[in-house]
Amino acid sequence: MSVLELPAEILGKILDHYVHDRRKVRLMDPIRPSSELRRVSAYSDSRTHPVDPTHVCQLWRNTAISIPQIWATIDVSQIKSEGDVKMFELWLERSAGRDGTYPLTLSITQRARAPVDLQKVFSLAISQHRRWKYISLALDGVYLPFFEPLYTVAPLSTLRGFQVGFGLCDSDGLRRLVGVLCSSTALRSVEFGNELYGRNPIAVPWDSLSLTTLSFNILELSRLIPILSSSMDTLRDISVSTLLSPLSLDGLTLTMRRLQSLRITSFGFGSHASEMFDKLTLPSLHELYLPGGFIPYKKFELQTRGWESLLSLLQRSNCQLQAFEFGDENTPDLIEKLKSPLFENLTSLKVTSYLEGHPDISSQLLDVLSEACEETQMPRVLPLLETLKLNSIHSQVGVREMVSARVAAYGGCGKSKLRRVCAQHMDAEEYALEIDLNDQA
């Protein structure tokens, strides 16, 4: 059978894979589109485009145009010409489906002034508000007035998530926009940039929301805790890129019974992890990500306090942590703490520490992970570990020996839990070593 004779259903799946397979359609550089045409694409760094198959033959053209899902994820980035605007209009038309209701995921990034009338871009986007499933806006504040028509059509009924990141802008205008986006009863995911940081943060109706995922670029602990203590007992995932804690919150404690995942990428100057951990009880916590460790700027004297606070949180919460990411330059503490029963249920571990000049530390970590317990016929440390990622090693041989030791620890009965190991050398851009054990079970 010729590729031009494929049944429409199979051809449709091929085209969907062509556009949306993220591992193969994305470029390494997320900033530069591959052509002017790619200013409107499925993703900001897509290297494939649903317009391309429409030029193969009439069958492929008709099939591609008839499949709304290959057009319904739209990234509009730095519009520069009328052609870009027309392309956006074409995508919206083809993404609507036969009844005009196919859910739309839309991202608009426009930081620089454009030589075209951008009001039409926003008018086109707003005209499809009944289809919005997820919307991301990374804009200069000058574009806020273009959203005025949206305020007359609220509430939004289908929006499940939004992300906003505005430059300098009128706080009242931004407050109105966020209020409209929060009007959707289907809303489950919200991501803010710096809009809740500073002297005049925007007001958000937290008590009326039923979010499961909440993210911030930068936030003060004094604002995060009240947000968490609102009526949002549905929250499962929280992520903060930089957490600051300039104010004391003595005496305030909080139990979040449904929170499963917590990520704090870094703590800002003057902040410390214990200031947050001491106030929380998280009985459902399964994933904890601390790629920047407990403290900023190498204040090692506070490391012990950070570990004490974290272990106390885990013990107080009586949770079963399954995924843990940690990174700082005092890794010996991590090596010792991983031996605690509080980490025995881990299935995923990522160590992001940069161990410059400390080959002995990476060797110690591999040695600890290699230890076997004859009584249980399992590794002594992290016996349930399935995925291991190490961002800094000095010996591929040491990693391979550790993997062999953990497999052997199960007594050769084919019960090894370890499935994937990734490790990289110092200063390497990509993982220097990847081991997939799925075929060896």
Side-chain angles (χ1 to χ4, degrees):
M1 177 184 295
S2 166
V3 69
L4 300 179
E5 298 174 335
L6 289 173
E9 182 179 357
I10 295 178
L11 179 57
K13 291 182 178 180
I14 292 174
L15 296 179
D16 185 69
H17 181 79
Y18 170 79
V19 174
H20 295 298
D21 186 347
R22 304 294 288 272
R23 293 174 298 176
K24 296 182 179 179
V25 306
R26 298 171 69 80
L27 294 169
M28 291 300 295
D29 184 352
I31 304 299
R32 296 157 57 185
S34 58
S35 73
E36 289 297 313
L37 183 66
R38 269 54 177 181
R39 296 190 186 281
V40 179
S41 58
Y43 309 100
S44 61
D45 48 0
S46 291
R47 60 184 299 178
T48 57
H49 200 283
V51 168
D52 298 339
T54 65
H55 299 308
V56 174
C57 66
Q58 192 63 45
L59 172 64
W60 281 46
R61 176 179 176 81
N62 293 341
T63 302
I65 292 176
S66 69
I67 304 175
Q69 62 263 35
I70 70 174
W71 306 91
T73 298
I74 309 177
D75 182 273
V76 181
S77 181
Q78 306 298 352
I79 291 292
K80 287 189 175 181
S81 68
E82 291 292 344
D84 295 333
V85 178
K86 291 181 180 179
M87 181 60 69
F88 179 42
E89 188 173 14
L90 177 68
W91 276 62
L92 289 174
E93 177 185 340
R94 293 179 176 178
S95 68
R98 292 182 179 179
D99 59 359
T101 62
Y102 196 89
L104 179 65
T105 295
L106 177 61
S107 176
I108 302 178
T109 300
Q110 194 72 36
R111 296 298 190 187
R113 300 296 179 92
V116 296
D117 182 7
L118 288 173
Q119 186 165 1
K120 185 174 182 180
V121 172
F122 296 102
S123 296
L124 288 169
I126 292 171
S127 71
Q128 304 297 313
H129 70 274
R130 289 187 175 85
R131 297 201 291 127
W132 287 0
K133 177 181 179 182
Y134 181 87
I135 186 164
S136 173
L137 302 171
L139 304 170
D140 188 271
V142 70
Y143 300 117
L144 272 173
F146 292 163
F147 289 93
E148 287 288 339
L150 183 64
Y151 307 147
T152 64
V153 300
L156 305 175
S157 59
T158 61
L159 188 66
R160 295 187 59 83
F162 72 80
Q163 176 183 357
V164 292
F166 280 81
L168 295 176
C169 62
D170 170 44
S171 58
D172 289 336
L174 182 57
R175 189 176 295 112
R176 292 182 68 191
L177 175 59
V178 170
V180 170
L181 296 177
C182 288
S183 68
S184 173
T185 57
L187 193 64
R188 296 295 179 266
S189 174
V190 172
E191 182 173 349
F192 288 101
N194 302 338
E195 290 76 18
L196 273 71
Y197 172 68
R199 295 183 178 180
N200 298 303
I202 61 171
V204 178
W206 302 113
D207 291 344
S208 65
L209 302 179
S210 298
L211 303 179
T212 59
T213 302
L214 183 58
S215 301
F216 306 91
N217 180 45
I218 184 170
L219 191 68
E220 295 162 331
L221 182 59
S222 57
R223 291 198 171 105
L224 176 61
I225 294 297
I227 289 172
L228 301 185
S229 63
S230 68
S231 61
M232 290 189 300
D233 60 354
T234 56
L235 268 178
R236 296 183 180 180
D237 302 272
I238 298 175
S239 175
V240 182
S241 294
T242 302
L243 184 64
L244 305 175
S245 53
L247 297 177
S248 174
L249 295 170
D250 292 340
L252 180 62
T253 59
L254 179 63
T255 297
M256 302 192 68
R257 301 193 178 280
R258 298 192 182 186
L259 190 69
Q260 299 178 7
S261 177
L262 175 63
R263 173 183 288 274
I264 308 293
T265 302
S266 65
F267 291 87
F269 183 77
S271 305
H272 186 249
S274 64
E275 295 170 324
M276 180 175 186
F277 293 156
D278 289 346
K279 295 168 174 55
L280 296 177
T281 300
L282 308 173
S284 298
L285 187 66
H286 291 160
E287 302 173 4
L288 178 60
Y289 304 100
L290 303 170
F294 295 129
I295 54 178
Y297 306 113
K298 304 181 182 179
K299 294 184 178 180
F300 296 134
E301 67 275 10
L302 296 177
Q303 280 287 356
T304 300
R305 179 71 187 93
W307 280 111
E308 289 175 352
S309 179
L310 173 57
L311 296 179
S312 178
L313 165 65
L314 298 178
Q315 188 169 24
R316 180 172 63 251
S317 302
N318 193 27
C319 59
Q320 294 189 354
L321 198 64
Q322 297 176 2
F324 185 48
E325 177 179 353
F326 189 81
D328 65 30
E329 297 186 33
N330 202 14
T331 306
D333 275 354
L334 169 66
I335 296 173
E336 188 62 31
K337 297 305 186 291
L338 287 178
K339 300 177 183 179
S340 167
L342 294 170
F343 291 102
E344 66 183 5
N345 291 299
L346 282 189
T347 60
S348 175
L349 173 65
K350 183 174 181 179
V351 181
T352 56
S353 303
Y354 187 70
L355 306 177
E356 183 176 9
H358 299 286
D360 55 322
I361 295 179
S362 62
S363 297
Q364 290 172 21
L365 177 60
L366 295 176
D367 289 343
V368 167
L369 294 175
S370 300
E371 294 178 6
C373 178
E374 295 182 2
E375 293 81 3
T376 61
Q377 285 198 326
M378 299 175 72
R380 188 178 301 278
V381 177
L382 310 183
L384 304 182
L385 192 66
E386 297 178 1
T387 302
L388 174 64
K389 295 184 178 181
L390 305 172
N391 275 20
S392 178
I393 62 166
H394 291 77
S395 170
Q396 290 192 37
V397 173
V399 176
R400 294 185 184 279
E401 290 177 347
M402 179 274 296
V403 172
S404 297
R406 290 188 70 88
V407 172
Y410 289 89
C413 299
K415 299 185 297 182
S416 174
K417 302 292 184 181
L418 198 62
R419 289 291 174 263
R420 186 165 184 260
V421 177
C422 301
Q424 71 180 28
H425 286 297
M426 301 290 295
D427 302 322
E429 294 183 359
E430 299 292 336
Y431 282 115
L433 176 65
E434 292 196 34
I435 303 176
D436 190 338
L437 290 86
N438 285 298
D439 297 332
Q440 303 177 27

